[in-house]
Amino acid sequence: MTAASVAVIGGTGMNTWPGFEGSGALDGDNAWGSPSAPLQQGRFADTPVLFLARHGQGHHIPPHRINFRANLQALADAGVRRVIAAAAVGSMNEAVPPGALALPEDCIDYTWGRAHSYSDGPDLPLHHIGFTEPFSPLRERMLEVATAASVPIHPGGVLGVTQGPRLETAAEVRRLRRDGCDLVGMTTMPEAALARELGLDYAVVAVCVNWAAGVGSGDIHGEIERYAAEGMDRLRQLLTAVLPVLAEDDAR
Ligand code: HPA
């Protein structure tokens, strides 16, 4: 067990976490396998927190190969109750330019072939989880804290989750737009649904690093290089404000 009730899952560009003071690691192995990396125990903004590198320590695990079930189970086994999931995304909404953060309110799952449920065997319970609001109530709490601390963040958006690891075609992004998506990433599903199956409070912080395919100048990799650091700085600002408040909530 750990004293941390909150975990941060770090995505692309966040395999290490400046400002995080590590104090040990848990291997986190469980019935579903090994998590992407050991769970790092430590403190950020003087608050106990667990950190998990979603793509592994050396960023070697592609989105479709992540063992999402082992990752979420490891966090639940460690005593975590709330999960802040950082995810790099492309944007098709001009209100969320590269370098900006968003707290999406909903998502559409375009992934396939991923192990996406714990209800997956004759001896395992079958749960039809409610998923109308995939990121509540942690999302609302983070939004309140970000607003009070004047951390700039787009308060919503629909996140389309694609299979990857390739980026989308321009026609795929036009379809995402028609479907009502504002942002596109590769890892929020099945992560968010598995968190819900385990009863974890989960919210995604989308870190916009590029315009989606066919939306901007076309130099997606150049944009990612240019804007990733800015997005990560904003994410650090957000976590500095949010983590102490969540710890206070839990102490009540
Ligand atoms: N598409 C999908 N996932 C992403 C993107 C994108 O444009 N940028 C960062 N992650």
Side-chain angles (χ1 to χ4, degrees), residues 55 61-66 68 108-116 160-169 172 175-176 184-190:
H55 295 279
I61 310 174
H64 63 290
R65 292 270 175 216
I66 293 168
F68 290 100
I108 301 179
D109 186 3
Y110 298 92
T111 69
W112 48 270
R114 301 184 182 186
H116 64 285
V161 188
T162 55
Q163 179 73 351
R166 69 167 175 83
L167 295 164
E168 297 70 38
T169 67
E172 285 169 337
R175 179 178 74 145
L176 294 173
V184 57
M186 299 177 190
T187 53
T188 300
M189 291 299 290

Side-chain angles (χ1 to χ4, degrees), residues 12 87-91 160 162 164-168 173 184-187 207-213 220 224:
T12 301
V89 302
S91 175
T162 55
R166 69 167 175 83
L167 295 164
E168 297 70 38
V173 169
V184 57
M186 299 177 190
T187 53
V207 182
C208 179
V209 291
N210 60 280
W211 293 116
I220 293 183
I224 293 174

Side-chain angles (χ1 to χ4, degrees), residues 133-241:
E133 293 187 6
F135 309 127
S136 292
L138 175 56
R139 177 182 162 273
E140 284 81 4
R141 190 68 179 121
M142 287 207 289
L143 203 48
E144 278 171 17
V145 177
T147 306
S150 304
V151 178
I153 192 157
H154 183 73
V158 174
L159 172 59
V161 188
T162 55
Q163 179 73 351
R166 69 167 175 83
L167 295 164
E168 297 70 38
T169 67
E172 285 169 337
V173 169
R174 287 198 297 274
R175 179 178 74 145
L176 294 173
R177 276 184 138 156
R178 285 196 299 275
D179 284 356
C181 294
D182 301 280
L183 304 167
V184 57
M186 299 177 190
T187 53
T188 300
M189 291 299 290
E191 196 173 80
L194 292 166
R196 180 65 56 85
E197 286 191 6
L198 292 174
L200 301 172
D201 192 359
Y202 173 104
V204 64
V205 180
V207 182
C208 179
V209 291
N210 60 280
W211 293 116
V215 175
S217 68
D219 181 15
I220 293 183
H221 291 102
E223 287 171 355
I224 293 174
E225 257 175 48
R226 235 169 307 149
Y227 293 108
E230 194 178 317
M232 290 306 143
D233 267 0
R234 292 229 167 96
L235 179 61
R236 271 191 291 281
Q237 272 179 48
L238 176 71
L239 294 176
T240 301

Side-chain angles (χ1 to χ4, degrees), residues 1-11 17 20 24-42 48-55 57 66-86 118 138 187 190-192 194-203 250:
M1 288 290 279
T2 165
S5 61
V6 178
V8 173
I9 302 181
W17 191 12
F20 175 73
L26 302 168
D27 72 22
D29 290 355
N30 57 70
W32 302 99
S34 299
S36 299
L39 310 183
Q40 301 295 322
Q41 295 170 295
V49 63
L50 271 184
F51 176 67
L52 172 60
R54 186 190 283 116
H55 295 279
Q57 289 296 2
I66 293 168
N67 188 341
F68 290 100
R69 291 195 294 201
N71 283 358
L72 275 297
Q73 188 69 58
L75 296 179
D77 291 349
V80 160
R81 292 174 18 220
R82 295 199 258 198
V83 178
I84 299 172
Y118 294 105
L138 175 56
T187 53
E191 196 173 80
L194 292 166
R196 180 65 56 85
E197 286 191 6
L198 292 174
L200 301 172
D201 192 359
Y202 173 104
D250 285 344

